[in-house]
Amino acid sequence: GRAAALRARMEERLLAARFRYINQQLYTSTSQEAAQLFQSDPEAFEIYHRGFAQQVGRWPENPVHRIIRYLRRRPASLVVADFGCGDCKIASSIKNKVHSFDLVPLSPLVTVCDMAKVPLAAESVDIAVFCLALMGTNLQEILEEANRVLKQGGTLMVAEVASRFEDIRAFMNAMAQLGFKSVSKDLSSAFFHLLEFAKTGPPRRHRPAPGLRLRPCLYKRR
Ligand code: SAH
């Protein structure tokens, strides 16, 4: 009856509030702190993922499907690393060898680790992917790790929420200093930017690259 409907609505609101809170924590802490958060509270991870899937479900297109289409056009012999893989949509959709990294295993395909320190040899990967996963404040450390595992000339794909970019030119300049040359950028979606880079070499600086900063992606109360 009405009481049950009210109760269900209240529960839904509480979950939404918890999602927004966890989401905000992920965008405002380092990846090490995020790892600790999920280790100490595995339920937080479930709530986060439910909320994340709901948010992206409202978009006209999920960027992970664009990335999968892109990967299918490239040789299946290429080795892929999916940083912040979530439920492993990429690994379960392509024939390539895919290393899937996340803080908590939503699927048996996941290797649990902090993406700032992945268990891969240097220059062992052809394509590194960050699909809506550049969350920590230690963005530079995370991208340096991607640079380390990528082969020379390897591909870096980044899909990020459009509103997170303060200054896309400054961001591209910072990426160049980290050893990533822009190959193509698709800014046509109002929801996400899709950026493709090629690794030109190791980072040219280890000092903080200004311009790399991304705004946290905070969701409004509905
Ligand atoms: N790429 C997936 C999931 C995106 S949600 C997709 O597009 O569907 C962002 C993911 O990044 C979450 O699963 C979150 O747990 C993960 N993540 C955030 N910080 C991380 C870190 N430091 N190390 C590994 N994974 C991380």
Side-chain angles (χ1 to χ4, degrees), residues 87-103:
D87 57 3
C88 297
K89 286 201 177 64
I90 292 177
S92 50
S93 306
I94 62 175
K95 297 197 191 83
N96 307 53
K97 167 77 195 161
V98 182
H99 299 282
S100 304
F101 300 119
D102 210 301
L103 294 170

mmCIF file with all atom_site columns, all heavy atoms in Angstrom, residues 87-103:
data_model
loop_
_atom_site.group_PDB
_atom_site.id
_atom_site.type_symbol
_atom_site.label_atom_id
_atom_site.label_alt_id
_atom_site.label_comp_id
_atom_site.label_asym_id
_atom_site.label_entity_id
_atom_site.label_seq_id
_atom_site.pdbx_PDB_ins_code
_atom_site.Cartn_x
_atom_site.Cartn_y
_atom_site.Cartn_z
_atom_site.occupancy
_atom_site.B_iso_or_equiv
_atom_site.pdbx_formal_charge
_atom_site.auth_seq_id
_atom_site.auth_comp_id
_atom_site.auth_asym_id
_atom_site.auth_atom_id
_atom_site.pdbx_PDB_model_num
ATOM 1   N N   . ASP A 1 87  ? 32.460 -3.086  -14.181 1.00 0.00 ? 87  ASP A N   1
ATOM 2   C CA  . ASP A 1 87  ? 31.960 -4.452  -14.381 1.00 0.00 ? 87  ASP A CA  1
ATOM 3   C C   . ASP A 1 87  ? 32.558 -5.138  -15.624 1.00 0.00 ? 87  ASP A C   1
ATOM 4   O O   . ASP A 1 87  ? 31.991 -6.111  -16.126 1.00 0.00 ? 87  ASP A O   1
ATOM 5   C CB  . ASP A 1 87  ? 30.426 -4.472  -14.419 1.00 0.00 ? 87  ASP A CB  1
ATOM 6   C CG  . ASP A 1 87  ? 29.864 -3.564  -15.505 1.00 0.00 ? 87  ASP A CG  1
ATOM 7   O OD1 . ASP A 1 87  ? 30.659 -2.971  -16.270 1.00 0.00 ? 87  ASP A OD1 1
ATOM 8   O OD2 . ASP A 1 87  ? 28.631 -3.434  -15.594 1.00 0.00 ? 87  ASP A OD2 1
ATOM 9   N N   . CYS A 1 88  ? 33.682 -4.644  -16.106 1.00 0.00 ? 88  CYS A N   1
ATOM 10  C CA  . CYS A 1 88  ? 34.449 -5.316  -17.175 1.00 0.00 ? 88  CYS A CA  1
ATOM 11  C C   . CYS A 1 88  ? 33.692 -5.441  -18.488 1.00 0.00 ? 88  CYS A C   1
ATOM 12  O O   . CYS A 1 88  ? 33.771 -6.479  -19.157 1.00 0.00 ? 88  CYS A O   1
ATOM 13  C CB  . CYS A 1 88  ? 34.911 -6.701  -16.731 1.00 0.00 ? 88  CYS A CB  1
ATOM 14  S SG  . CYS A 1 88  ? 36.034 -6.652  -15.362 1.00 0.00 ? 88  CYS A SG  1
ATOM 15  N N   . LYS A 1 89  ? 32.976 -4.405  -18.872 1.00 0.00 ? 89  LYS A N   1
ATOM 16  C CA  . LYS A 1 89  ? 32.274 -4.437  -20.161 1.00 0.00 ? 89  LYS A CA  1
ATOM 17  C C   . LYS A 1 89  ? 33.272 -4.623  -21.299 1.00 0.00 ? 89  LYS A C   1
ATOM 18  O O   . LYS A 1 89  ? 32.968 -5.303  -22.279 1.00 0.00 ? 89  LYS A O   1
ATOM 19  C CB  . LYS A 1 89  ? 31.497 -3.134  -20.368 1.00 0.00 ? 89  LYS A CB  1
ATOM 20  C CG  . LYS A 1 89  ? 30.251 -3.030  -19.513 1.00 0.00 ? 89  LYS A CG  1
ATOM 21  C CD  . LYS A 1 89  ? 29.280 -2.012  -20.104 1.00 0.00 ? 89  LYS A CD  1
ATOM 22  C CE  . LYS A 1 89  ? 27.996 -1.948  -19.287 1.00 0.00 ? 89  LYS A CE  1
ATOM 23  N NZ  . LYS A 1 89  ? 28.249 -1.458  -17.898 1.00 0.00 ? 89  LYS A NZ  1
ATOM 24  N N   . ILE A 1 90  ? 34.444 -4.024  -21.193 1.00 0.00 ? 90  ILE A N   1
ATOM 25  C CA  . ILE A 1 90  ? 35.425 -4.114  -22.282 1.00 0.00 ? 90  ILE A CA  1
ATOM 26  C C   . ILE A 1 90  ? 35.940 -5.550  -22.397 1.00 0.00 ? 90  ILE A C   1
ATOM 27  O O   . ILE A 1 90  ? 35.859 -6.156  -23.463 1.00 0.00 ? 90  ILE A O   1
ATOM 28  C CB  . ILE A 1 90  ? 36.573 -3.100  -22.079 1.00 0.00 ? 90  ILE A CB  1
ATOM 29  C CG1 . ILE A 1 90  ? 36.020 -1.679  -22.241 1.00 0.00 ? 90  ILE A CG1 1
ATOM 30  C CG2 . ILE A 1 90  ? 37.710 -3.362  -23.063 1.00 0.00 ? 90  ILE A CG2 1
ATOM 31  C CD1 . ILE A 1 90  ? 37.015 -0.566  -22.004 1.00 0.00 ? 90  ILE A CD1 1
ATOM 32  N N   . ALA A 1 91  ? 36.441 -6.104  -21.281 1.00 0.00 ? 91  ALA A N   1
ATOM 33  C CA  . ALA A 1 91  ? 37.006 -7.463  -21.322 1.00 0.00 ? 91  ALA A CA  1
ATOM 34  C C   . ALA A 1 91  ? 35.987 -8.481  -21.824 1.00 0.00 ? 91  ALA A C   1
ATOM 35  O O   . ALA A 1 91  ? 36.346 -9.441  -22.508 1.00 0.00 ? 91  ALA A O   1
ATOM 36  C CB  . ALA A 1 91  ? 37.517 -7.858  -19.943 1.00 0.00 ? 91  ALA A CB  1
ATOM 37  N N   . SER A 1 92  ? 34.719 -8.266  -21.504 1.00 0.00 ? 92  SER A N   1
ATOM 38  C CA  . SER A 1 92  ? 33.728 -9.271  -21.905 1.00 0.00 ? 92  SER A CA  1
ATOM 39  C C   . SER A 1 92  ? 33.167 -9.014  -23.306 1.00 0.00 ? 92  SER A C   1
ATOM 40  O O   . SER A 1 92  ? 32.315 -9.760  -23.764 1.00 0.00 ? 92  SER A O   1
ATOM 41  C CB  . SER A 1 92  ? 32.615 -9.374  -20.865 1.00 0.00 ? 92  SER A CB  1
ATOM 42  O OG  . SER A 1 92  ? 32.122 -8.103  -20.554 1.00 0.00 ? 92  SER A OG  1
ATOM 43  N N   . SER A 1 93  ? 33.657 -7.965  -23.995 1.00 0.00 ? 93  SER A N   1
ATOM 44  C CA  . SER A 1 93  ? 33.109 -7.644  -25.321 1.00 0.00 ? 93  SER A CA  1
ATOM 45  C C   . SER A 1 93  ? 34.102 -7.791  -26.464 1.00 0.00 ? 93  SER A C   1
ATOM 46  O O   . SER A 1 93  ? 33.720 -7.662  -27.620 1.00 0.00 ? 93  SER A O   1
ATOM 47  C CB  . SER A 1 93  ? 32.595 -6.196  -25.351 1.00 0.00 ? 93  SER A CB  1
ATOM 48  O OG  . SER A 1 93  ? 31.686 -5.960  -24.315 1.00 0.00 ? 93  SER A OG  1
ATOM 49  N N   . ILE A 1 94  ? 35.386 -7.998  -26.165 1.00 0.00 ? 94  ILE A N   1
ATOM 50  C CA  . ILE A 1 94  ? 36.374 -8.091  -27.248 1.00 0.00 ? 94  ILE A CA  1
ATOM 51  C C   . ILE A 1 94  ? 37.235 -9.346  -27.084 1.00 0.00 ? 94  ILE A C   1
ATOM 52  O O   . ILE A 1 94  ? 37.269 -9.937  -26.007 1.00 0.00 ? 94  ILE A O   1
ATOM 53  C CB  . ILE A 1 94  ? 37.274 -6.827  -27.341 1.00 0.00 ? 94  ILE A CB  1
ATOM 54  C CG1 . ILE A 1 94  ? 38.096 -6.622  -26.064 1.00 0.00 ? 94  ILE A CG1 1
ATOM 55  C CG2 . ILE A 1 94  ? 36.426 -5.583  -27.640 1.00 0.00 ? 94  ILE A CG2 1
ATOM 56  C CD1 . ILE A 1 94  ? 39.084 -5.468  -26.140 1.00 0.00 ? 94  ILE A CD1 1
ATOM 57  N N   . LYS A 1 95  ? 37.913 -9.717  -28.173 1.00 0.00 ? 95  LYS A N   1
ATOM 58  C CA  . LYS A 1 95  ? 38.711 -10.961 -28.152 1.00 0.00 ? 95  LYS A CA  1
ATOM 59  C C   . LYS A 1 95  ? 40.107 -10.740 -27.581 1.00 0.00 ? 95  LYS A C   1
ATOM 60  O O   . LYS A 1 95  ? 40.775 -11.694 -27.191 1.00 0.00 ? 95  LYS A O   1
ATOM 61  C CB  . LYS A 1 95  ? 38.859 -11.498 -29.591 1.00 0.00 ? 95  LYS A CB  1
ATOM 62  C CG  . LYS A 1 95  ? 37.540 -11.898 -30.232 1.00 0.00 ? 95  LYS A CG  1
ATOM 63  C CD  . LYS A 1 95  ? 37.798 -12.791 -31.451 1.00 0.00 ? 95  LYS A CD  1
ATOM 64  C CE  . LYS A 1 95  ? 36.559 -12.995 -32.276 1.00 0.00 ? 95  LYS A CE  1
ATOM 65  N NZ  . LYS A 1 95  ? 36.340 -11.859 -33.221 1.00 0.00 ? 95  LYS A NZ  1
ATOM 66  N N   . ASN A 1 96  ? 40.533 -9.482  -27.554 1.00 0.00 ? 96  ASN A N   1
ATOM 67  C CA  . ASN A 1 96  ? 41.901 -9.170  -27.115 1.00 0.00 ? 96  ASN A CA  1
ATOM 68  C C   . ASN A 1 96  ? 42.171 -9.649  -25.691 1.00 0.00 ? 96  ASN A C   1
ATOM 69  O O   . ASN A 1 96  ? 41.255 -9.824  -24.906 1.00 0.00 ? 96  ASN A O   1
ATOM 70  C CB  . ASN A 1 96  ? 42.118 -7.643  -27.107 1.00 0.00 ? 96  ASN A CB  1
ATOM 71  C CG  . ASN A 1 96  ? 41.775 -7.002  -28.411 1.00 0.00 ? 96  ASN A CG  1
ATOM 72  O OD1 . ASN A 1 96  ? 40.681 -7.184  -28.925 1.00 0.00 ? 96  ASN A OD1 1
ATOM 73  N ND2 . ASN A 1 96  ? 42.696 -6.245  -28.954 1.00 0.00 ? 96  ASN A ND2 1
ATOM 74  N N   . LYS A 1 97  ? 43.444 -9.786  -25.367 1.00 0.00 ? 97  LYS A N   1
ATOM 75  C CA  . LYS A 1 97  ? 43.868 -9.954  -23.976 1.00 0.00 ? 97  LYS A CA  1
ATOM 76  C C   . LYS A 1 97  ? 43.609 -8.616  -23.272 1.00 0.00 ? 97  LYS A C   1
ATOM 77  O O   . LYS A 1 97  ? 44.100 -7.579  -23.717 1.00 0.00 ? 97  LYS A O   1
ATOM 78  C CB  . LYS A 1 97  ? 45.357 -10.307 -23.945 1.00 0.00 ? 97  LYS A CB  1
ATOM 79  C CG  . LYS A 1 97  ? 46.005 -10.210 -22.584 1.00 0.00 ? 97  LYS A CG  1
ATOM 80  C CD  . LYS A 1 97  ? 45.638 -11.399 -21.729 1.00 0.00 ? 97  LYS A CD  1
ATOM 81  C CE  . LYS A 1 97  ? 45.972 -11.150 -20.260 1.00 0.00 ? 97  LYS A CE  1
ATOM 82  N NZ  . LYS A 1 97  ? 45.242 -12.056 -19.363 1.00 0.00 ? 97  LYS A NZ  1
ATOM 83  N N   . VAL A 1 98  ? 42.790 -8.627  -22.224 1.00 0.00 ? 98  VAL A N   1
ATOM 84  C CA  . VAL A 1 98  ? 42.487 -7.387  -21.492 1.00 0.00 ? 98  VAL A CA  1
ATOM 85  C C   . VAL A 1 98  ? 42.862 -7.560  -20.025 1.00 0.00 ? 98  VAL A C   1
ATOM 86  O O   . VAL A 1 98  ? 42.409 -8.504  -19.370 1.00 0.00 ? 98  VAL A O   1
ATOM 87  C CB  . VAL A 1 98  ? 40.983 -7.016  -21.595 1.00 0.00 ? 98  VAL A CB  1
ATOM 88  C CG1 . VAL A 1 98  ? 40.716 -5.699  -20.868 1.00 0.00 ? 98  VAL A CG1 1
ATOM 89  C CG2 . VAL A 1 98  ? 40.523 -6.912  -23.045 1.00 0.00 ? 98  VAL A CG2 1
ATOM 90  N N   . HIS A 1 99  ? 43.686 -6.653  -19.509 1.00 0.00 ? 99  HIS A N   1
ATOM 91  C CA  . HIS A 1 99  ? 43.951 -6.590  -18.072 1.00 0.00 ? 99  HIS A CA  1
ATOM 92  C C   . HIS A 1 99  ? 42.956 -5.604  -17.480 1.00 0.00 ? 99  HIS A C   1
ATOM 93  O O   . HIS A 1 99  ? 42.950 -4.432  -17.856 1.00 0.00 ? 99  HIS A O   1
ATOM 94  C CB  . HIS A 1 99  ? 45.371 -6.093  -17.808 1.00 0.00 ? 99  HIS A CB  1
ATOM 95  C CG  . HIS A 1 99  ? 46.437 -6.976  -18.386 1.00 0.00 ? 99  HIS A CG  1
ATOM 96  N ND1 . HIS A 1 99  ? 46.818 -8.163  -17.791 1.00 0.00 ? 99  HIS A ND1 1
ATOM 97  C CD2 . HIS A 1 99  ? 47.186 -6.862  -19.511 1.00 0.00 ? 99  HIS A CD2 1
ATOM 98  C CE1 . HIS A 1 99  ? 47.765 -8.735  -18.510 1.00 0.00 ? 99  HIS A CE1 1
ATOM 99  N NE2 . HIS A 1 99  ? 48.015 -7.965  -19.571 1.00 0.00 ? 99  HIS A NE2 1
ATOM 100 N N   . SER A 1 100 ? 42.100 -6.080  -16.575 1.00 0.00 ? 100 SER A N   1
ATOM 101 C CA  . SER A 1 100 ? 41.040 -5.228  -16.017 1.00 0.00 ? 100 SER A CA  1
ATOM 102 C C   . SER A 1 100 ? 41.367 -4.898  -14.569 1.00 0.00 ? 100 SER A C   1
ATOM 103 O O   . SER A 1 100 ? 41.483 -5.800  -13.735 1.00 0.00 ? 100 SER A O   1
ATOM 104 C CB  . SER A 1 100 ? 39.702 -5.959  -16.081 1.00 0.00 ? 100 SER A CB  1
ATOM 105 O OG  . SER A 1 100 ? 39.410 -6.361  -17.413 1.00 0.00 ? 100 SER A OG  1
ATOM 106 N N   . PHE A 1 101 ? 41.516 -3.603  -14.274 1.00 0.00 ? 101 PHE A N   1
ATOM 107 C CA  . PHE A 1 101 ? 41.921 -3.191  -12.921 1.00 0.00 ? 101 PHE A CA  1
ATOM 108 C C   . PHE A 1 101 ? 40.824 -2.396  -12.230 1.00 0.00 ? 101 PHE A C   1
ATOM 109 O O   . PHE A 1 101 ? 40.259 -1.467  -12.818 1.00 0.00 ? 101 PHE A O   1
ATOM 110 C CB  . PHE A 1 101 ? 43.187 -2.329  -12.986 1.00 0.00 ? 101 PHE A CB  1
ATOM 111 C CG  . PHE A 1 101 ? 44.362 -3.038  -13.603 1.00 0.00 ? 101 PHE A CG  1
ATOM 112 C CD1 . PHE A 1 101 ? 44.957 -2.555  -14.761 1.00 0.00 ? 101 PHE A CD1 1
ATOM 113 C CD2 . PHE A 1 101 ? 44.858 -4.191  -13.019 1.00 0.00 ? 101 PHE A CD2 1
ATOM 114 C CE1 . PHE A 1 101 ? 46.036 -3.213  -15.327 1.00 0.00 ? 101 PHE A CE1 1
ATOM 115 C CE2 . PHE A 1 101 ? 45.941 -4.868  -13.583 1.00 0.00 ? 101 PHE A CE2 1
ATOM 116 C CZ  . PHE A 1 101 ? 46.534 -4.373  -14.743 1.00 0.00 ? 101 PHE A CZ  1
ATOM 117 N N   . ASP A 1 102 ? 40.546 -2.754  -10.989 1.00 0.00 ? 102 ASP A N   1
ATOM 118 C CA  . ASP A 1 102 ? 39.633 -1.946  -10.179 1.00 0.00 ? 102 ASP A CA  1
ATOM 119 C C   . ASP A 1 102 ? 39.917 -2.208  -8.708  1.00 0.00 ? 102 ASP A C   1
ATOM 120 O O   . ASP A 1 102 ? 40.684 -3.107  -8.371  1.00 0.00 ? 102 ASP A O   1
ATOM 121 C CB  . ASP A 1 102 ? 38.161 -2.246  -10.520 1.00 0.00 ? 102 ASP A CB  1
ATOM 122 C CG  . ASP A 1 102 ? 37.270 -1.018  -10.300 1.00 0.00 ? 102 ASP A CG  1
ATOM 123 O OD1 . ASP A 1 102 ? 37.212 -0.493  -9.178  1.00 0.00 ? 102 ASP A OD1 1
ATOM 124 O OD2 . ASP A 1 102 ? 36.655 -0.569  -11.276 1.00 0.00 ? 102 ASP A OD2 1
ATOM 125 N N   . LEU A 1 103 ? 39.281 -1.395  -7.864  1.00 0.00 ? 103 LEU A N   1
ATOM 126 C CA  . LEU A 1 103 ? 39.551 -1.481  -6.423  1.00 0.00 ? 103 LEU A CA  1
ATOM 127 C C   . LEU A 1 103 ? 38.836 -2.662  -5.779  1.00 0.00 ? 103 LEU A C   1
ATOM 128 O O   . LEU A 1 103 ? 39.264 -3.164  -4.741  1.00 0.00 ? 103 LEU A O   1
ATOM 129 C CB  . LEU A 1 103 ? 39.124 -0.186  -5.727  1.00 0.00 ? 103 LEU A CB  1
ATOM 130 C CG  . LEU A 1 103 ? 39.927 1.055   -6.115  1.00 0.00 ? 103 LEU A CG  1
ATOM 131 C CD1 . LEU A 1 103 ? 39.277 2.307   -5.558  1.00 0.00 ? 103 LEU A CD1 1
ATOM 132 C CD2 . LEU A 1 103 ? 41.354 0.930   -5.617  1.00 0.00 ? 103 LEU A CD2 1
#
